[in-house]
Amino acid sequence: MSNTGPESTAQRVALWRALHVEVDAPPHVFVDEVGRELIGGDDTWRARPDMDPETTAGFRASIVGRARFVEDLVLEQIDRGVDQYVILGAGLDTFAQRRPEISSRVSIFEVDQPAPQSWKRTRLIESGHTALPHFVPVDFEANEDWWEELSRNGFDATKPAVVVSTGVTHYLTREATAATVRQVAALAPGSTFALSFLIPVDAIAPEDRAGLKTSETGAEREGTPFVSFWSPTDMTALARDAGFVDVRHVPGSALAERYFGDRTDGLRPSTGEDLIVART
């Protein structure tokens, strides 16, 4: 992939989503093969070490469990009349393409770095996808204000929205995450925010610690090092201090029980990533 395409982390998430459909038994927790389609290329991706069906099963399950939880939450809010959906650090998210019946009546805003976003727009058009979100290019490295760019692209700050940021906070400083949480807390009443975060390695299940350390080493080697870890207590306090009136901690174990509890194939998410759901 050229350096103008999606980051390696975004590619990995998209490929794990596709691998879930290919190698895991139904019922599938989450079905998304569009991201793999956008990446293109031949089938050599299946031979990548990080795509080994056995050794990466826990990570793959964590990714699809998180995606399913977020999508269920978004659909719930849309059913309640919220018609603005903002994805911070969108990467290869494909909600607009997979759910065209919904994207036709909801304003979807994807916030991401300009170069990968431009690549994604081009690939969507080349692939024949007509359901496109509002692309909001923001150069975070240049400290561009994503909130200001969002408004320029048609977002109505006077109306409720559902805002999601998953798989992002560990690449940001704690200060940057705190600033984002404060900005989202200023949204119109009735808005919902879902945010994922990595918890410190000594707080996760012992059997998952080696895998997390391997991921951390790989991320640093790829130039996207893990910067921040959060305890659930600290993240919950951050959201409450920012002004959210309702903050709920969602541990990864809750997703495991909700989406994998009835499976007989042993597929379960690895521990290490939790979420908060907060409301204004």
Side-chain angles (χ1 to χ4, degrees), residues 39 55 65 91 93-94 114-115 145 187 198 206 210 215 219 240-241 259 261 270:
I39 293 171
T55 60
D93 188 274
T94 59
D145 189 338
L187 286 171
L198 291 187
S215 296
R240 286 177 175 154
D241 291 345
Y259 298 118
S270 58

Side-chain angles (χ1 to χ4, degrees), residues 67-85 95 99 102 105-106 160-164 190-194 246 248 250 258-259 277-279:
R68 174 66 181 275
F69 174 79
V70 165
E71 192 145 312
D72 285 352
L73 177 69
V74 170
L75 294 175
E76 173 190 279
Q77 294 305 306
I78 291 173
D79 284 343
R80 292 179 176 177
V82 175
D83 63 0
Q84 296 187 113
Y85 175 25
F95 181 86
R99 308 302 296 262
I102 295 175
R105 55 188 177 89
V106 176
V162 54
V163 181
V164 168
S191 297
T192 302
F193 183 36
D246 179 25
R248 176 165 56 103
V250 183
R258 180 172 178 176
Y259 298 118
V277 175
R279 307 183 194 279

Side-chain angles (χ1 to χ4, degrees), residues 9-23:
T9 51
Q11 293 182 55
R12 186 176 298 115
V13 166
L15 294 178
W16 271 339
R17 288 181 174 188
L19 191 64
H20 173 58
V21 178
E22 291 193 10
V23 305

